[in-house]
Amino acid sequence: MAKLIPTATRYDRPDTPETLQRLIKNATGKPFLLAGGTSLGFSRPKTEHIIDLNRLPFRECRLTALHDLEIGALTTIGDLERHNDAKSFCGGILTQATDALASTPLRNLITVGGNLAAGYPWCDLPVAFLALNARLRCFDSAQTDCVSPKEISLPHDGQTTFKKLTENQFVSHIVLDGKYANARGAFTKFSRTSTDLAIITVAVTFIPDENSMRSVRVAVGGLVPVPQRLPEVEMMLEGQTFKNFEGQTFENSLFQEAGAAADVILRKDPRASDDYRRNVLKTLVTRTCIKATGVMANEN
Amino acid sequence: MKTDSIMTMTCEINGSESVFHIHPGDRLLDVLRHAGFISVKEGCGDGNCGACIILLDGRPVNSCLVPAARVEGCAITTVEGIGTPDNPHPLQESYADHGAVQCGFCTPGSILSSYALLRDNPHPTENEIKRALDGNACRCTGYVKKLAAVRGARGCFAADGANRRKGE
Ligand SMILES: Cc1cc2nc3c(=O)[nH]c(=O)nc-3n(C[C@H](O)[C@H](O)[C@H](O)COP(=O)(O)OP(=O)(O)OC[C@H]3O[C@@H](n4cnc5c(N)ncnc54)[C@H](O)[C@@H]3O)c2cc1C
Ligand code: FES
Ligand code: FES
């Protein structure tokens, strides 16, 4: 029989974070933490030990009193897309992201935490999370002080680029900033087919304040090794009165200028040339800004 | 909970309890086929084609990416469990009536995706049908007929009245 992880000789299913931390700490070699398991479609770890996370109590998704959306790391993408609070959060940006993510059977396996932790450049949710000022609740299995999760902001330490989790970090929750609960947001994915991996993804959020744009966040993924924000574009849009764009055309809008400012250092992608991706990025940033404001009828 | 090399896994398949002796790294796809559920096919082996789809606690998933040990205590449905040649499910009849089967390799996975859709949403729109089948590749390009088959089976759960198995 073919095996998913041929070297595995041990399988554990912890149901508390304490047990998980103990198992990780006492493991010989690096165990594979199994969430949705779909990363096994891309690479097979050479590990002896599989630790199945699916019995841990981190599967729920809820809106807190501060309007933060707290998403358990083991929530599947399918469950997230069916969740009413997630659907309405920040103009439906999460629904736009999950709509574009893999296929129906895969969405029933892929977890929110796994999508974040896998660290693949094509993962869609981290880009939306960056635009939503997400925080991660993390356990550090290397610490002796066991089950006290720490909150870290995404990206860490005020940087603009997403930092991959370290080996010892286990995420229990992703917390989306309540400030953006009733804000405007949009997500765009560019790929060859509806179920293909992203070539480029763009997420834009802002808080409408008297028709102007505040706390603008623009994040991109797919064409960069890890998702990152575009601070120049954000600065250009900050404080602009978006209602002024009503009736304007795509070609002469401020959003077009914002798109033109979008620039990043590209990773290699055999599917599309660098020039092509740079051009498409500019258009996608423009379009995603327009989609987030909802002001322009004619965006072509 | 700790196990070394050979472990025991118990789950429910098509309504009957089954016990397996497996290795920790075994794929659910192989374990099911080995146990005789040969409607579960292997196409790509990496989550792209949907030939290996089963219902895990009622939801379609790619069994080629699921370690068998993960389904301990879960309910699994394969296409053998929703109808037989003598007593087919209305959805299976609709696939036959609409000529939605060519070589048949993708058919079990497609039927299970359609089954989960119609059970939760008896009257889906065209777009909802397309989305539910977005993980089922057909190398005979039989997509048009499949959409027609699902359209033709709309409402079959209301008529069939069935919440037939645990987890569905
Ligand atoms: C054919 C195919 C197409 C896909 N298309 C897309 C797509 O279009 N867009 C997209 O975004 N994704 C897509 N994916 C999914 C993506 O590539 C990853 O496989 C997926 O996000 C991993 O999530 P998982 O829950 O399956 O995690 P796993 O595969 O179980 O784990 C992935 C890694 O993360 C670690 N991990 C998991 N959970 C945690 C946690 N809570 N804390 C710390 N570490 C953790 C694991 O140890 C492992 O190293 C696709 C996958 C496949 C197979
Ligand atoms: S064999 Fe599982 S998706 Fe192709
Ligand atoms: S009928 Fe042949 S693969 Fe679909």
Side-chain angles (χ1 to χ4, degrees), chain B residues 100-107 110 137-142 146:
Chain B
V101 180
Q102 291 186 42
C103 78
F105 196 77
C106 68
T107 311
S110 299
C138 176
R139 61 192 171 180
C140 307
T141 64
K146 279 187 199 179

mmCIF file with all atom_site columns, all heavy atoms in Angstrom, chain B residues 100-107 110 137-142 146, ligand 3:
data_model
loop_
_atom_site.group_PDB
_atom_site.id
_atom_site.type_symbol
_atom_site.label_atom_id
_atom_site.label_alt_id
_atom_site.label_comp_id
_atom_site.label_asym_id
_atom_site.label_entity_id
_atom_site.label_seq_id
_atom_site.pdbx_PDB_ins_code
_atom_site.Cartn_x
_atom_site.Cartn_y
_atom_site.Cartn_z
_atom_site.occupancy
_atom_site.B_iso_or_equiv
_atom_site.pdbx_formal_charge
_atom_site.auth_seq_id
_atom_site.auth_comp_id
_atom_site.auth_asym_id
_atom_site.auth_atom_id
_atom_site.pdbx_PDB_model_num
ATOM   1   N  N   . ALA B 1 100 ? -24.455 10.835 -18.211 1.00 0.00 ? 100 ALA B N   1
ATOM   2   C  CA  . ALA B 1 100 ? -23.374 11.604 -17.580 1.00 0.00 ? 100 ALA B CA  1
ATOM   3   C  C   . ALA B 1 100 ? -22.161 10.743 -17.254 1.00 0.00 ? 100 ALA B C   1
ATOM   4   O  O   . ALA B 1 100 ? -21.260 11.190 -16.560 1.00 0.00 ? 100 ALA B O   1
ATOM   5   C  CB  . ALA B 1 100 ? -23.915 12.280 -16.314 1.00 0.00 ? 100 ALA B CB  1
ATOM   6   N  N   . VAL B 1 101 ? -22.181 9.501  -17.723 1.00 0.00 ? 101 VAL B N   1
ATOM   7   C  CA  . VAL B 1 101 ? -21.070 8.590  -17.446 1.00 0.00 ? 101 VAL B CA  1
ATOM   8   C  C   . VAL B 1 101 ? -20.446 8.179  -18.775 1.00 0.00 ? 101 VAL B C   1
ATOM   9   O  O   . VAL B 1 101 ? -21.147 7.695  -19.658 1.00 0.00 ? 101 VAL B O   1
ATOM   10  C  CB  . VAL B 1 101 ? -21.584 7.325  -16.717 1.00 0.00 ? 101 VAL B CB  1
ATOM   11  C  CG1 . VAL B 1 101 ? -20.431 6.387  -16.433 1.00 0.00 ? 101 VAL B CG1 1
ATOM   12  C  CG2 . VAL B 1 101 ? -22.337 7.692  -15.457 1.00 0.00 ? 101 VAL B CG2 1
ATOM   13  N  N   . GLN B 1 102 ? -19.138 8.416  -18.928 1.00 0.00 ? 102 GLN B N   1
ATOM   14  C  CA  . GLN B 1 102 ? -18.474 7.918  -20.130 1.00 0.00 ? 102 GLN B CA  1
ATOM   15  C  C   . GLN B 1 102 ? -17.606 6.721  -19.712 1.00 0.00 ? 102 GLN B C   1
ATOM   16  O  O   . GLN B 1 102 ? -18.127 5.630  -19.582 1.00 0.00 ? 102 GLN B O   1
ATOM   17  C  CB  . GLN B 1 102 ? -17.712 9.058  -20.807 1.00 0.00 ? 102 GLN B CB  1
ATOM   18  C  CG  . GLN B 1 102 ? -18.712 10.068 -21.389 1.00 0.00 ? 102 GLN B CG  1
ATOM   19  C  CD  . GLN B 1 102 ? -18.065 11.160 -22.212 1.00 0.00 ? 102 GLN B CD  1
ATOM   20  O  OE1 . GLN B 1 102 ? -17.168 10.927 -22.991 1.00 0.00 ? 102 GLN B OE1 1
ATOM   21  N  NE2 . GLN B 1 102 ? -18.563 12.372 -22.048 1.00 0.00 ? 102 GLN B NE2 1
ATOM   22  N  N   . CYS B 1 103 ? -16.332 6.923  -19.369 1.00 0.00 ? 103 CYS B N   1
ATOM   23  C  CA  . CYS B 1 103 ? -15.564 5.747  -18.915 1.00 0.00 ? 103 CYS B CA  1
ATOM   24  C  C   . CYS B 1 103 ? -15.939 5.371  -17.480 1.00 0.00 ? 103 CYS B C   1
ATOM   25  O  O   . CYS B 1 103 ? -15.738 4.255  -17.047 1.00 0.00 ? 103 CYS B O   1
ATOM   26  C  CB  . CYS B 1 103 ? -14.071 5.996  -19.019 1.00 0.00 ? 103 CYS B CB  1
ATOM   27  S  SG  . CYS B 1 103 ? -13.431 7.005  -17.674 1.00 0.00 ? 103 CYS B SG  1
ATOM   28  N  N   . GLY B 1 104 ? -16.453 6.333  -16.718 1.00 0.00 ? 104 GLY B N   1
ATOM   29  C  CA  . GLY B 1 104 ? -16.936 6.050  -15.372 1.00 0.00 ? 104 GLY B CA  1
ATOM   30  C  C   . GLY B 1 104 ? -15.921 6.222  -14.255 1.00 0.00 ? 104 GLY B C   1
ATOM   31  O  O   . GLY B 1 104 ? -16.258 6.092  -13.079 1.00 0.00 ? 104 GLY B O   1
ATOM   32  N  N   . PHE B 1 105 ? -14.675 6.546  -14.621 1.00 0.00 ? 105 PHE B N   1
ATOM   33  C  CA  . PHE B 1 105 ? -13.629 6.616  -13.590 1.00 0.00 ? 105 PHE B CA  1
ATOM   34  C  C   . PHE B 1 105 ? -13.898 7.737  -12.582 1.00 0.00 ? 105 PHE B C   1
ATOM   35  O  O   . PHE B 1 105 ? -13.668 7.581  -11.381 1.00 0.00 ? 105 PHE B O   1
ATOM   36  C  CB  . PHE B 1 105 ? -12.264 6.835  -14.265 1.00 0.00 ? 105 PHE B CB  1
ATOM   37  C  CG  . PHE B 1 105 ? -11.097 6.551  -13.374 1.00 0.00 ? 105 PHE B CG  1
ATOM   38  C  CD1 . PHE B 1 105 ? -10.710 5.246  -13.120 1.00 0.00 ? 105 PHE B CD1 1
ATOM   39  C  CD2 . PHE B 1 105 ? -10.392 7.583  -12.780 1.00 0.00 ? 105 PHE B CD2 1
ATOM   40  C  CE1 . PHE B 1 105 ? -9.630  4.974  -12.287 1.00 0.00 ? 105 PHE B CE1 1
ATOM   41  C  CE2 . PHE B 1 105 ? -9.306  7.330  -11.948 1.00 0.00 ? 105 PHE B CE2 1
ATOM   42  C  CZ  . PHE B 1 105 ? -8.928  6.017  -11.703 1.00 0.00 ? 105 PHE B CZ  1
ATOM   43  N  N   . CYS B 1 106 ? -14.399 8.863  -13.075 1.00 0.00 ? 106 CYS B N   1
ATOM   44  C  CA  . CYS B 1 106 ? -14.626 10.006 -12.182 1.00 0.00 ? 106 CYS B CA  1
ATOM   45  C  C   . CYS B 1 106 ? -16.007 9.967  -11.539 1.00 0.00 ? 106 CYS B C   1
ATOM   46  O  O   . CYS B 1 106 ? -16.329 10.792 -10.697 1.00 0.00 ? 106 CYS B O   1
ATOM   47  C  CB  . CYS B 1 106 ? -14.501 11.316 -12.968 1.00 0.00 ? 106 CYS B CB  1
ATOM   48  S  SG  . CYS B 1 106 ? -15.840 11.508 -14.166 1.00 0.00 ? 106 CYS B SG  1
ATOM   49  N  N   . THR B 1 107 ? -16.859 9.022  -11.978 1.00 0.00 ? 107 THR B N   1
ATOM   50  C  CA  . THR B 1 107 ? -18.271 9.064  -11.611 1.00 0.00 ? 107 THR B CA  1
ATOM   51  C  C   . THR B 1 107 ? -18.531 8.914  -10.103 1.00 0.00 ? 107 THR B C   1
ATOM   52  O  O   . THR B 1 107 ? -19.320 9.688  -9.542  1.00 0.00 ? 107 THR B O   1
ATOM   53  C  CB  . THR B 1 107 ? -19.057 7.990  -12.415 1.00 0.00 ? 107 THR B CB  1
ATOM   54  O  OG1 . THR B 1 107 ? -18.705 8.132  -13.784 1.00 0.00 ? 107 THR B OG1 1
ATOM   55  C  CG2 . THR B 1 107 ? -20.556 8.164  -12.250 1.00 0.00 ? 107 THR B CG2 1
ATOM   56  N  N   . SER B 1 110 ? -17.815 12.198 -8.466  1.00 0.00 ? 110 SER B N   1
ATOM   57  C  CA  . SER B 1 110 ? -18.760 13.233 -8.891  1.00 0.00 ? 110 SER B CA  1
ATOM   58  C  C   . SER B 1 110 ? -20.120 13.014 -8.228  1.00 0.00 ? 110 SER B C   1
ATOM   59  O  O   . SER B 1 110 ? -20.776 13.972 -7.813  1.00 0.00 ? 110 SER B O   1
ATOM   60  C  CB  . SER B 1 110 ? -18.957 13.204 -10.402 1.00 0.00 ? 110 SER B CB  1
ATOM   61  O  OG  . SER B 1 110 ? -17.742 13.447 -11.032 1.00 0.00 ? 110 SER B OG  1
ATOM   62  N  N   . ALA B 1 137 ? -12.443 16.367 -11.692 1.00 0.00 ? 137 ALA B N   1
ATOM   63  C  CA  . ALA B 1 137 ? -11.988 16.448 -13.077 1.00 0.00 ? 137 ALA B CA  1
ATOM   64  C  C   . ALA B 1 137 ? -12.514 15.229 -13.832 1.00 0.00 ? 137 ALA B C   1
ATOM   65  O  O   . ALA B 1 137 ? -12.605 14.138 -13.274 1.00 0.00 ? 137 ALA B O   1
ATOM   66  C  CB  . ALA B 1 137 ? -10.467 16.482 -13.130 1.00 0.00 ? 137 ALA B CB  1
ATOM   67  N  N   . CYS B 1 138 ? -12.871 15.440 -15.097 1.00 0.00 ? 138 CYS B N   1
ATOM   68  C  CA  . CYS B 1 138 ? -13.340 14.333 -15.931 1.00 0.00 ? 138 CYS B CA  1
ATOM   69  C  C   . CYS B 1 138 ? -12.505 14.327 -17.205 1.00 0.00 ? 138 CYS B C   1
ATOM   70  O  O   . CYS B 1 138 ? -12.553 15.262 -17.984 1.00 0.00 ? 138 CYS B O   1
ATOM   71  C  CB  . CYS B 1 138 ? -14.822 14.521 -16.259 1.00 0.00 ? 138 CYS B CB  1
ATOM   72  S  SG  . CYS B 1 138 ? -15.450 13.258 -17.366 1.00 0.00 ? 138 CYS B SG  1
ATOM   73  N  N   . ARG B 1 139 ? -11.719 13.269 -17.408 1.00 0.00 ? 139 ARG B N   1
ATOM   74  C  CA  . ARG B 1 139 ? -10.831 13.263 -18.584 1.00 0.00 ? 139 ARG B CA  1
ATOM   75  C  C   . ARG B 1 139 ? -11.607 12.950 -19.850 1.00 0.00 ? 139 ARG B C   1
ATOM   76  O  O   . ARG B 1 139 ? -11.100 13.072 -20.950 1.00 0.00 ? 139 ARG B O   1
ATOM   77  C  CB  . ARG B 1 139 ? -9.665  12.296 -18.367 1.00 0.00 ? 139 ARG B CB  1
ATOM   78  C  CG  . ARG B 1 139 ? -10.106 10.878 -18.168 1.00 0.00 ? 139 ARG B CG  1
ATOM   79  C  CD  . ARG B 1 139 ? -9.002  9.982  -17.662 1.00 0.00 ? 139 ARG B CD  1
ATOM   80  N  NE  . ARG B 1 139 ? -9.601  8.699  -17.297 1.00 0.00 ? 139 ARG B NE  1
ATOM   81  C  CZ  . ARG B 1 139 ? -8.943  7.693  -16.817 1.00 0.00 ? 139 ARG B CZ  1
ATOM   82  N  NH1 . ARG B 1 139 ? -7.658  7.793  -16.618 1.00 0.00 ? 139 ARG B NH1 1
ATOM   83  N  NH2 . ARG B 1 139 ? -9.545  6.567  -16.505 1.00 0.00 ? 139 ARG B NH2 1
ATOM   84  N  N   . CYS B 1 140 ? -12.860 12.467 -19.715 1.00 0.00 ? 140 CYS B N   1
ATOM   85  C  CA  . CYS B 1 140 ? -13.692 12.260 -20.898 1.00 0.00 ? 140 CYS B CA  1
ATOM   86  C  C   . CYS B 1 140 ? -14.503 13.515 -21.200 1.00 0.00 ? 140 CYS B C   1
ATOM   87  O  O   . CYS B 1 140 ? -15.355 13.485 -22.087 1.00 0.00 ? 140 CYS B O   1
ATOM   88  C  CB  . CYS B 1 140 ? -14.658 11.102 -20.691 1.00 0.00 ? 140 CYS B CB  1
ATOM   89  S  SG  . CYS B 1 140 ? -13.889 9.581  -20.181 1.00 0.00 ? 140 CYS B SG  1
ATOM   90  N  N   . THR B 1 141 ? -14.243 14.581 -20.450 1.00 0.00 ? 141 THR B N   1
ATOM   91  C  CA  . THR B 1 141 ? -14.919 15.877 -20.617 1.00 0.00 ? 141 THR B CA  1
ATOM   92  C  C   . THR B 1 141 ? -16.443 15.761 -20.616 1.00 0.00 ? 141 THR B C   1
ATOM   93  O  O   . THR B 1 141 ? -17.129 16.305 -21.465 1.00 0.00 ? 141 THR B O   1
ATOM   94  C  CB  . THR B 1 141 ? -14.452 16.627 -21.883 1.00 0.00 ? 141 THR B CB  1
ATOM   95  O  OG1 . THR B 1 141 ? -14.827 15.875 -23.022 1.00 0.00 ? 141 THR B OG1 1
ATOM   96  C  CG2 . THR B 1 141 ? -12.968 16.879 -21.857 1.00 0.00 ? 141 THR B CG2 1
ATOM   97  N  N   . GLY B 1 142 ? -16.942 15.064 -19.641 1.00 0.00 ? 142 GLY B N   1
ATOM   98  C  CA  . GLY B 1 142 ? -18.392 14.906 -19.567 1.00 0.00 ? 142 GLY B CA  1
ATOM   99  C  C   . GLY B 1 142 ? -19.082 15.931 -18.679 1.00 0.00 ? 142 GLY B C   1
ATOM   100 O  O   . GLY B 1 142 ? -20.086 15.622 -18.051 1.00 0.00 ? 142 GLY B O   1
ATOM   101 N  N   . LYS B 1 146 ? -23.006 16.045 -16.779 1.00 0.00 ? 146 LYS B N   1
ATOM   102 C  CA  . LYS B 1 146 ? -23.049 15.932 -15.309 1.00 0.00 ? 146 LYS B CA  1
ATOM   103 C  C   . LYS B 1 146 ? -23.903 17.037 -14.709 1.00 0.00 ? 146 LYS B C   1
ATOM   104 O  O   . LYS B 1 146 ? -24.673 16.805 -13.786 1.00 0.00 ? 146 LYS B O   1
ATOM   105 C  CB  . LYS B 1 146 ? -21.640 16.055 -14.727 1.00 0.00 ? 146 LYS B CB  1
ATOM   106 C  CG  . LYS B 1 146 ? -20.868 14.790 -14.789 1.00 0.00 ? 146 LYS B CG  1
ATOM   107 C  CD  . LYS B 1 146 ? -19.587 15.008 -14.022 1.00 0.00 ? 146 LYS B CD  1
ATOM   108 C  CE  . LYS B 1 146 ? -18.590 13.968 -14.414 1.00 0.00 ? 146 LYS B CE  1
ATOM   109 N  NZ  . LYS B 1 146 ? -17.326 14.131 -13.747 1.00 0.00 ? 146 LYS B NZ  1
HETATM 110 S  S1  . FES C 2 .   ? -16.368 9.720  -17.426 1.00 0.00 ? 3   FES C S1  1
HETATM 111 FE FE1 . FES C 2 .   ? -14.311 9.216  -17.879 1.00 0.00 ? 3   FES C FE1 1
HETATM 112 S  S2  . FES C 2 .   ? -13.194 10.464 -16.507 1.00 0.00 ? 3   FES C S2  1
HETATM 113 FE FE2 . FES C 2 .   ? -15.189 11.184 -16.333 1.00 0.00 ? 3   FES C FE2 1
#
